[in-house]
């Protein structure tokens, strides 16, 4: 820790930080070193420090589609929440990686720009949304994304155009190449604010009616298997309401696992494993996790 603070004195560093406060499931152990860069340069310097000193480095965004194991994370966890600026240039919206994608959709509404209505209920950060090409209600990030500023695994700045992002269902070249997103540029279209607002309100109502927003969760746990819906398969397997520890398959939407009573990450992982095995036995379909699971076992 002392060496890190000496080499990057303006970097915010916290030892043994509890990571449960930074995930939507409210689970997870501690980070050895938790750092919060407030500029692109500090993020780059942190990556270079980790490489030079052979220290493991984990990037943490909004923690919305993430489970951190109860043993926590060794080395450095770099939390990018402070890089959250959003601005407009004509019909383009430029957003920092730490900005909430919901906030970017609201910013677009205020600017009378259409194209991000589908994102009005996605709880992740811009960086996370690019990393997994997040989507909802027929739209996805790659539909409107035209450019991204990233750091390579060696801390070098790189600009990616849309075709270089190689966006597919819930994945992109950002994940494949272990890039760290710093900023995204979205190309939107001018529209009447009233029309944009109506669409966002309609999607919000649909989301609130179907999703268990009253409990902590990591969002949709499983990817949609070809020709099926994960929630329907789980429901048909008789697993809705099934509980391990404080984690439960949601009674409102079987594709979600909610923290109803101080669940641990281990509770989540055991329940995910049970759901996968049971659905495979009942239907022959192996559910693949959409949620990312990182960290050490306790």
């Amino acid at each position: 820790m002392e060496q890190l603070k000496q080499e990057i004195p303006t970097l915010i560093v916290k030892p043994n930080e509890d990571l449960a406060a930074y995930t939507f499931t409210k689970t997870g152990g501690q980070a050895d070193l938790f750092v919060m860069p407030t500029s692109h340069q500090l993020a780059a310097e942190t990556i270079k420090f980790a490489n030079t000193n052979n220290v493991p480095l984990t990037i943490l965004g909004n923690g919305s589609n993430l489970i951190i194991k109860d043993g926590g994370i060794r080395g450095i966890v770099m939390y990018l929440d402070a890089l959250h600026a959003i601005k407009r240039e004509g019909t383009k919206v430029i957003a920092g990686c730490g900005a909430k994608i919901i906030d970017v959709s609201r910013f677009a509404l205020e600017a009378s720009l259409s194209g991000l209505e589908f994102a009005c209920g996605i709880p992740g950060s811009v960086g996370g949304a690019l990393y997994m090409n997040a989507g909802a209600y027929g739209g996805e990030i790659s539909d409107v994304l035209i450019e991204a500023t990233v750091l390579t695994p060696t801390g070098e700045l790189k600009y990616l155009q849309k075709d270089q992002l190689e966006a597919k269902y819930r994945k992109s070249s950002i994940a494949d190449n272990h890039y760290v997103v710093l900023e995204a540029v979205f190309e939107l279209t001018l529209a009447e604010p009233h029309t944009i607002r109506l669409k966002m309100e309609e999607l919000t109502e649909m989301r609130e009616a179907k999703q268990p927003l009253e409990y902590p969760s990591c969002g949709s746990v499983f990817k949609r298997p070809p020709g099926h819906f994960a929630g329907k398969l789980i429901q048909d397997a008789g697993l809705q309401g099934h509980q391990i520890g404080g984690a439960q398959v949601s009674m409102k939407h079987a594709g979600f696992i909610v923290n109803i009573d101080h669940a641990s990450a281990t509770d989540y992982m055991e329940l995910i494993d049970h759901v996968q095995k049971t659905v495979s036995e009942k239907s022959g379909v192996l559910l693949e996790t959409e949620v990312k699971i990182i960290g050490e076992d306790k």
Side-chain angles (χ1 to χ4, degrees), residues 43-102:
E45 288 178 11
T46 301
I47 292 174
K48 290 174 181 177
F49 174 90
N51 285 333
T52 301
N53 294 279
N54 295 313
V55 178
L57 175 67
T58 302
I59 309 303
L60 180 60
N62 199 32
S64 59
N65 200 220
L66 179 72
I67 294 171
I68 298 175
K69 294 182 182 180
D70 295 322
I73 299 176
R74 304 289 71 80
I76 298 170
V77 173
M78 184 163 70
Y79 184 53
L80 298 170
D81 186 69
L83 305 177
H84 58 246
I86 308 171
K87 61 182 180 180
R88 174 188 181 179
E89 289 184 1
T91 55
K92 294 182 178 68
V93 170
I94 303 164
C97 59
K100 312 295 186 288
I101 196 68
I102 289 175

Side-chain angles (χ1 to χ4, degrees), residues 12-272:
I12 299 168
V13 182
K14 297 181 180 182
N16 303 316
E17 182 75 356
D18 225 341
L19 294 172
Y22 302 94
T23 65
F24 273 48
T25 59
K26 304 304 178 190
T27 63
Q30 293 185 339
D32 290 347
L33 289 175
F34 185 84
V35 307
M36 293 184 286
T38 53
S39 69
H40 293 183
Q41 181 182 347
L42 287 174
E45 288 178 11
T46 301
I47 292 174
K48 290 174 181 177
F49 174 90
N51 285 333
T52 301
N53 294 279
N54 295 313
V55 178
L57 175 67
T58 302
I59 309 303
L60 180 60
N62 199 32
S64 59
N65 200 220
L66 179 72
I67 294 171
I68 298 175
K69 294 182 182 180
D70 295 322
I73 299 176
R74 304 289 71 80
I76 298 170
V77 173
M78 184 163 70
Y79 184 53
L80 298 170
D81 186 69
L83 305 177
H84 58 246
I86 308 171
K87 61 182 180 180
R88 174 188 181 179
E89 289 184 1
T91 55
K92 294 182 178 68
V93 170
I94 303 164
C97 59
K100 312 295 186 288
I101 196 68
I102 289 175
D103 292 339
V104 181
S105 71
R106 291 171 181 161
F107 179 93
L109 164 63
E110 294 302 317
S112 302
L113 293 172
S114 174
L116 277 169
E117 290 89 333
F118 74 90
C120 68
I122 297 176
S125 65
V126 166
L130 267 65
Y131 184 89
M132 65 179 296
N133 190 26
Y137 299 112
E140 56 186 16
I141 289 298
S142 59
D143 294 339
V144 290
L145 182 70
I146 59 168
E147 185 181 305
T149 303
V150 302
L151 290 170
T152 68
T154 58
E156 302 306 315
L157 201 65
K158 189 170 185 175
Y159 299 95
L160 301 179
Q161 300 304 308
K162 181 170 184 169
D163 59 343
Q164 295 174 286
L165 295 164
E166 299 172 15
K168 298 173 185 174
Y169 177 67
R170 300 301 175 264
K171 67 179 298 185
S172 71
S173 64
I174 289 166
D176 295 338
N177 293 302
H178 306 289
Y179 292 144
V180 177
V181 177
L182 293 178
E183 197 170 75
V185 182
F186 303 104
E187 180 65 71
L188 307 176
T189 56
L190 286 167
E192 288 293 328
H194 178 68
T195 305
I196 300 170
R197 184 176 286 106
L198 282 178
K199 183 63 176 176
M200 290 172 70
E201 288 175 353
E202 176 191 344
L203 294 179
T204 299
E205 285 178 12
M206 290 171 61
R207 179 171 177 263
E208 289 176 348
K210 293 180 179 179
Q211 297 184 14
L213 304 179
E214 63 273 25
Y215 292 110
S217 84
C218 54
S220 185
V221 177
F222 303 101
K223 294 180 181 178
R224 186 195 310 150
H228 299 277
F229 290 98
K232 181 72 163 54
L233 290 170
I234 296 165
Q235 194 172 7
D236 290 347
L239 291 168
Q240 197 154 21
H242 190 83
Q243 186 171 336
I244 292 180
Q248 181 194 67
V249 176
S250 170
M251 293 297 295
K252 196 170 186 180
H253 189 313
F256 287 69
I257 293 177
V258 291
N259 183 348
I260 64 167
D261 186 18
H262 303 93
S264 65
T266 302
D267 294 340
Y268 263 87
M269 292 167 60
E270 288 180 357
L271 186 51
I272 287 170

Side-chain angles (χ1 to χ4, degrees), residues 270-282:
E270 288 180 357
L271 186 51
I272 287 170
D273 185 61
H274 179 71
V275 168
Q276 287 175 313
K277 287 178 179 176
T278 305
V279 168
S280 180
E281 290 168 3
K282 298 280 187 181

